[in-house]
Amino acid sequence: MGARGHGETGLFLVQFRSCPPSVADAVEMHRALRRAVTRLGAAGTAIRWCAAWILPDECRCLCLVQAARQADVVLARDLAALPTASVAPARALDGPPLPRTGSRS
């Protein structure tokens, strides 16, 4: 992924599966990540929650987060105590672009 200019953000996909398999556990893990993203955003980190999908047959969750740096998403993942969740850059293929959020610093 190329370098972004000052104030630009990117999209990141956070994926995790509950183990042992439980949809309720996957939903709770999703809530923990969303709370971590919200706390970081309120503290001034350029990060925001976009969307999430649960795949109930796999007890897996896919969360889309917008942030200035991948490291900020990894921090949110760690604050949510989801060490096995993967974090990868993502980009939308269709639909309207998501609004940009600038740094609050």
Side-chain angles (χ1 to χ4, degrees):
M1 180 181 232
R4 288 188 285 273
H6 180 71
E8 274 191 65
T9 60
L11 295 174
F12 299 91
L13 185 66
V14 182
Q15 297 186 68
F16 55 86
R17 177 176 280 132
S18 65
C19 187
S22 162
V23 171
D25 288 343
V27 169
E28 188 52 40
M29 294 163 77
H30 150 265
R31 288 182 182 139
L33 180 62
R34 187 167 186 164
R35 284 190 300 266
V37 167
T38 301
R39 283 195 313 265
L40 286 172
T45 302
I47 190 170
R48 78 175 185 93
W49 188 262
C50 295
W53 299 267
I54 187 89
L55 286 72
D57 290 346
E58 299 178 19
C59 297
R60 188 163 56 123
C61 190
L62 308 172
C63 302
L64 191 63
V65 177
Q66 186 177 31
R69 301 176 319 133
Q70 185 169 349
D72 295 331
V73 182
V74 170
L75 177 59
R77 178 201 67 190
D78 293 348
L79 289 172
L82 302 172
T84 61
S86 66
V87 176
R91 65 184 174 105
L93 293 176
D94 56 15
L98 293 170
R100 291 184 178 181
T101 58
S103 174
R104 295 182 193 180
S105 54

